[in-house]
């Protein structure tokens, strides 16, 4: 039987310890602070990252180098026949498309999946890939299944501050100023290929309520069949916030969807670059189940 390796990047929110437990490989993403490059999970922690951001350092995300991507593939292929690589969605970074181009040199041994996932939804794609591998699917088959199911996830995100959306050019300075004065929280959504604004709310509690309303609508329509089959999960993701706040939001989400398994994970620094601390994301995700 073909020996298949599953690989992802740190935007999945999977820690290095979790990756070892799950049996997958992890590519850590680069972060640039004042023109110095750091690598997530290796030489930078979240305290330093958000402290630098709060001090108005020039903080940006970056694509992994060709050498780091292909170097990891080469090492993995010394032990495995094929690789399924699940990077962050192409809607938010060019790293997925770059990996697809790099993979052309491997004669089908490396299959790059673009199923438009990030954070918890990406993490569950990795779990699905591991499940399919154990069922005997080869790398190409796993890629095809994950991409066929790309739209079987719904993500909503809100931010605690508009500062970083302004810095990234997603909103104008005047909109940021007015929004901050009125405590406006935009609710953003990823439905497949794009990040869009879907609503606005006054305050974080109202934004969370708005996200729940959208999730419930998705639950009753797009995902009703999966819920009935026990193939649906709910997810919570967040940038820097206290453990108490994370627990509070997780409890509220569980109260709304008590019958669904709840997964949670921090949004990584690559996302934190664009939304800052205190960001909150929720989602519904189809999962593979015995």
């Amino acid at each position: 039987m073909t020996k298949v390796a599953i690989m992802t990047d740190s935007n999945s929110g999977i820690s290095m310890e979790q990756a070892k437990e799950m049996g997958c490989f992890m590519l850590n993403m680069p972060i640039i602070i004042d023109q110095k490059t750091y690598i997530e999970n290796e030489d930078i922690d979240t305290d330093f990252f958000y402290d630098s951001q709060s001090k108005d350092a020039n903080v940006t995300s970056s694509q992994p180098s060709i050498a780091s991507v292909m170097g990891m593939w080469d090492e993995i292929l010394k032990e495995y026949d094929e690789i399924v690589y699940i990077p962050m969605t192409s809607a938010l970074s060019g790293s997925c498309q770059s990996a697809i181009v790099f993979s052309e040199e491997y004669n089908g041994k490396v299959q790059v999946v673009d199923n438009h996932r990030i954070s918890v939804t990406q993490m569950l794609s990795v779990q699905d890939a591991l499940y399919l591998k154990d069922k005997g699917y080869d790398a190409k088959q796993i890629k095809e299944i994950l991409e066929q199911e790309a739209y079987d996830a719904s993500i909503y995100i809100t931010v605690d501050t508009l500062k970083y959306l302004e810095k990234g050019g997603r909103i104008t300075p005047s909109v940021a100023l007015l929004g901050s004065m009125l405590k406006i929280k935009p609710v953003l959504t990823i439905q497949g290929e794009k990040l869009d604004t879907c609503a606005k709310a006054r305050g974080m509690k109202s934004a969370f309520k708005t996200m729940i309303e959208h999730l419930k609508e998705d639950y009753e329509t797009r995902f009703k069949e999966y819920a009935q089959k026990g193939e649906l999960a709910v997810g919570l993701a967040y940038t820097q916030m206290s453990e108490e706040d994370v627990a509070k939001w997780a409890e509220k989400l569980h109260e709304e969807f008590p019958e669904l398994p709840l997964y949670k994970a921090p949004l990584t620094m690559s996302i934190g670059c664009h939304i800052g601390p205190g960001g909150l994301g929720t989602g519904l995700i189809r999962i593979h189940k015995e």
Side-chain angles (χ1 to χ4, degrees), residues 10 27 39 41 46 64 83 92 117 136 155 166 178 183 288:
S10 55
L27 176 67
I39 305 297
N41 295 320
T46 54
I83 299 169
L92 299 177
R117 304 292 177 89
I155 303 171
E166 177 194 348
L178 181 61
K183 297 183 179 180
H288 283 266

Side-chain angles (χ1 to χ4, degrees), residues 184-195:
I184 297 295
K185 309 295 183 187
V187 176
L188 311 173
T189 184
I190 301 176
Q191 302 292 338
E193 298 178 358
K194 295 194 300 180
L195 177 67

Side-chain angles (χ1 to χ4, degrees), residues 18 27 30 63 67 111 131 167 184 201 227 232 242-243 251 265 276 279:
Q18 287 174 319
L27 176 67
Q63 292 188 37
Q111 298 290 326
Y131 168 85
K167 287 186 72 172
I184 297 295
L232 196 65
S242 69
E243 292 182 6
E251 182 179 357

